Amino acid sequence: MAQEVGVEAVQGESRGHPRRWVILAVLCLALLVVLLDNTVLSVAIPSITDSLHASTSDVQWMINAYSLVLAGLLMTTGSLADRLGRKRALLFGVALFTAGSAVAAFSETSTQLIIARAGMGVGAAFLMPGTLAVLMQIFDEKERPKAIAAWTAVASMGLALGPVIGGVLLDHFWWGSVFLINIPVGAVAIVAMVLLVPESRDPMTRKPDIPGVLLSIVMGVGLVYAVISVPEHGWGSANVLVPLVFGVLALTGFVLWERRAEDPMLDMTLFANPQFTGAVAGGALTAFAMGGSLFLFTQYLQFVLGYSPLQAGFAVMPMALSLLLVTPFSPRVSARLGVPLTLAVGLGVMGAGLLALSFVGTDSGYWPTLTGLVLIGGGVGIAMPASANALMGAIPPQRAGIASGLTSTLQEFGNALGVAILGSLMSAQFAAHLPELLPDGVEHSVGLALGAAAQAPDAASVVHSVRDAFVSGISLSLTCGAAAAVAAGLVAWALLRRGQGGHPDKLAESVQDGVHRE
C-alpha cells in the first residue's frame, strides 16, 4: 500500500519518488480516458439521437451538462485536493467517472444520459487537477520538465484520438460502447492508484472558504453557460446575457472576497507573478485558438471533402503523430532557448499551421490539410510542456491542486469562447456568401444548406457554391485562430521575460540541469 508522502519528504529526494514513472503512466491513463470522452461523444451523437429519440435540446444538454459541471467545480475540487489529499481526490474522481460511464452506456432515455454525463463531469473535475498536482509531488525539479512533457502529450493526444476511437467503436458496436470502454480502464486505474500513488496534501491547516467555493461555482457555470449558448441563441439574447451577468458579478465578488479572506481558496497574489500570469494567459488563448479552429475544421473535412466521421478522425491523426514526435524535445528546446522564447516559437508554429489550414479550398484536396496539421502538432508539442512547467514553477508545490484547477477552468472557458466567437464569425461569413436562391433558415447549418442546394436547379453548381461559402467562413475563423495563437505566444513571452527580470535563462536552469545530467 502506498504511504503518505509529505511535500518536504518528496522534494528532499534528489530523484523524486522511486516509482514515479510508473505512477506517471497511471496518471496519464486516467487523464486520457477523461479527455477522450468528449471527442468520442461528438462522433456518437447521431447514433444516440436515433436510438434515444433525442431532441436538439436533449443533445445540447448531453454535451453541456458535462462541460458546465466541470467548469463550475474545477477550482473547488483543486482546492479540496490540496486540503484533503490528492490521492483521495483522484480515487473519488476515477470511481465517479467510471460509475457515470456505466450509467451512460446503458441509459434508456435522454434524461438518464444527461444525468450520467453530469456525474461524469463531477468525476472529471476531481481527476484533472489531481493528476498534475500529484506529478508535482513525485518528481523533483530536474525531472519535472520531462514528466510534464509526457503529461501534456497525453492530454493533447486525447483530443486527436477521440474521433478515431469513436468511429471504430461505432462501426462495430452500439453507441453505448463509447462509454462502456471507460469501465475496465477505470477499474485498472483505481487498483493502480491504490497500490502506487502516494498521498500528499497542503501541510498548512486552512479553514474552508465557503464563500469562495460558492462564488467560483456560480462564476464558472455562468460564464461558460453564456458562451456555449451563443451559437444557438445569439449574443444579444437573454439566454446569453442573463448567465453572463451572473458570471461577471460572481467573478467580481470572487476576486474581492479572495483578496480579503483570511484563508482564501485562491491566493490572488499569485497573479502578481508575471510568470504565473503569462503561463495562465497563454494557455487560455491557446485553448481559444485550438478549440474554435479545430472544432470548425472537422466540419470542413466532412461537408466539403466528403469524409465520413471515421475518415475525418484518421485525417487529423498527423497532428497527434507530429505532437508525439516533437514533445520529447521540448525540454531541450527550453534549455537552449529559454522558456519565454520556446513558448513564442511553439505558438508561432501553431499559428502558422492554422494559417496554412485557412488556405484550403473546395477543390484543394488533403495535402494542404496535412501541412497545417503537422505544423499545429509540432507547435503544440514545443509550447505546451514549456507552458505547464512555467506554471508549476511559479506556484508553491503545496498549492498545486488549486493552481491546476484554475488553469483548467480558464482553458475550458477559452475553448468554449473560441467555439462561440470563431463559430459566429464563420456563420456570418457563410451566410453572406450563400447563393440567394436558397430558402431562408439554411444559413444556420451547412448540412441544411447542402440539402436545399441538392434540390435546386443546376444542383451541382449550387452545391459547389454552398461549399465555397462554407470554406470562406472556415478560412476567416482559422485566420482569427492563427492570430490568437500568435498573440498567446507574444503575451506569454512578454510576461515570462518580465518575470525573469529580463534574463531568459533563469526559468530554464532546472530544465538545463535535467537535460545534461542524463
Side-chain angles (χ1 to χ4, degrees):
M1 187 71 65
Q3 300 296 314
E4 179 163 343
V5 177
V7 174
E8 297 82 358
V10 172
Q11 290 184 324
E13 299 175 10
S14 61
R15 297 288 290 182
H17 193 281
R19 291 178 290 187
R20 58 197 177 280
W21 294 107
V22 178
I23 295 172
L24 177 63
V26 174
L27 298 176
C28 287
L29 177 65
L31 179 68
L32 182 62
V33 173
V34 171
L35 293 176
L36 281 173
D37 184 71
N38 264 353
T39 49
V40 168
L41 179 66
S42 66
V43 178
I45 284 297
S47 299
I48 293 173
T49 301
D50 292 340
S51 297
L52 300 183
H53 307 291
S55 66
T56 301
S57 176
D58 290 336
V59 170
Q60 289 171 343
W61 276 107
M62 289 172 194
I63 298 171
N64 294 344
Y66 180 92
S67 300
L68 289 173
V69 170
L70 183 62
L73 291 181
L74 274 167
M75 288 181 61
T76 298
T77 54
S79 176
L80 284 173
D82 286 336
R83 186 188 305 272
L84 302 178
R86 300 178 182 103
K87 178 177 179 176
R88 290 181 183 178
L90 281 173
L91 286 171
F92 179 76
V94 176
L96 188 56
F97 190 86
T98 303
S101 297
V103 175
F106 297 104
S107 293
E108 297 180 352
T109 66
S110 296
T111 300
Q112 289 177 2
L113 183 54
I114 291 168
I115 293 172
R117 291 278 296 160
M120 293 169 69
V122 177
F126 275 91
L127 177 62
M128 290 178 65
T131 56
L132 193 54
V134 170
L135 184 155
M136 282 284 291
Q137 311 305 316
I138 63 175
F139 285 92
D140 63 20
E141 292 183 358
K142 294 179 179 180
E143 286 189 326
R144 196 173 295 153
K146 294 179 182 179
I148 288 177
W151 184 89
T152 53
V154 169
S156 301
M157 185 174 63
L159 302 178
L161 288 179
V164 176
I165 294 174
V168 170
L169 289 172
L170 291 172
D171 272 356
H172 296 86
F173 307 103
W174 97 113
W175 63 265
S177 61
V178 302
F179 298 108
L180 200 62
I181 194 175
N182 296 337
I183 297 174
V185 178
V188 170
I190 289 171
V191 173
M193 286 178 181
V194 169
L195 297 176
L196 295 173
V197 175
E199 184 61 282
S200 63
R201 57 172 58 85
D202 186 347
M204 294 183 62
T205 302
R206 301 175 186 271
K207 297 178 182 178
D209 182 11
I210 302 301
V213 167
L214 296 176
L215 287 168
S216 72
I217 292 173
V218 176
M219 171 186 71
V221 172
L223 293 177
V224 172
Y225 183 79
V227 169
I228 63 181
S229 299
V230 169
E232 181 184 3
H233 300 289
W235 288 97
S237 72
N239 297 76
V240 173
L241 294 178
V242 171
L244 181 63
V245 169
F246 274 100
V248 171
L249 289 175
L251 171 61
T252 304
F254 179 78
V255 172
L256 294 174
W257 171 259
E258 295 299 288
R259 291 179 64 180
R260 63 182 292 271
E262 182 179 350
D263 287 314
M265 181 171 75
L266 176 66
D267 184 359
M268 300 303 295
T269 61
L270 285 173
F271 289 97
N273 183 343
Q275 180 179 327
F276 177 83
T277 305
V280 168
L285 281 171
T286 302
F288 174 93
M290 283 286 286
S293 300
L294 295 182
F295 169 78
L296 297 170
F297 191 72
T298 55
Q299 298 181 50
Y300 163 81
L301 294 173
Q302 296 182 58
F303 288 115
V304 177
L305 297 187
Y307 291 178
S308 69
L310 180 58
Q311 289 173 324
F314 277 112
V316 299
M317 280 296 291
M319 182 178 70
L321 295 175
S322 174
L323 188 150
L324 287 174
L325 289 173
V326 171
T327 296
F329 296 98
S330 179
R332 293 182 182 274
V333 175
S334 295
R336 182 176 295 273
L337 300 181
V339 173
L341 187 55
T342 298
L343 272 171
V345 169
L347 294 174
V349 172
M350 175 184 143
L354 291 170
L355 189 62
L357 292 183
S358 74
F359 287 102
V360 298
T362 307
D363 303 309
S364 60
Y366 180 66
W367 288 108
T369 296
L370 177 63
T371 301
L373 292 174
V374 169
L375 287 173
I376 291 171
V380 172
I382 293 171
M384 289 302 97
S387 176
N389 193 51
L391 175 70
M392 292 297 105
I395 59 173
Q398 63 269 24
R399 305 307 304 276
I402 180 60
S404 180
L406 171 66
T407 304
S408 298
T409 300
L410 292 176
Q411 288 177 350
E412 282 288 318
F413 181 71
N415 181 72
L417 197 62
V419 171
I421 292 180
L422 298 185
S424 296
L425 290 173
M426 187 279 292
S427 297
Q429 184 82 347
F430 174 58
H433 288 79
L434 278 176
E436 295 183 359
L437 59 87
L438 294 179
D440 292 339
V442 299
E443 69 275 7
H444 298 302
S445 166
V446 63
L448 290 175
L450 287 171
Q455 305 300 318
D458 192 15
S461 175
V462 179
V463 166
H464 195 278
S465 297
V466 170
R467 287 175 172 160
D468 281 341
F470 187 67
V471 167
S472 175
I474 289 289
S475 296
L476 175 62
S477 67
L478 286 168
T479 302
C480 293
V486 174
L490 293 175
V491 167
W493 175 80
L495 288 172
L496 288 172
R497 277 185 61 88
R498 179 182 164 197
Q500 296 169 6
H503 299 290
D505 295 331
K506 188 175 180 181
L507 186 59
E509 285 177 358
S510 65
V511 180
Q512 186 82 29
D513 290 342
V515 170
H516 290 302
R517 71 181 298 181
E518 298 273 314

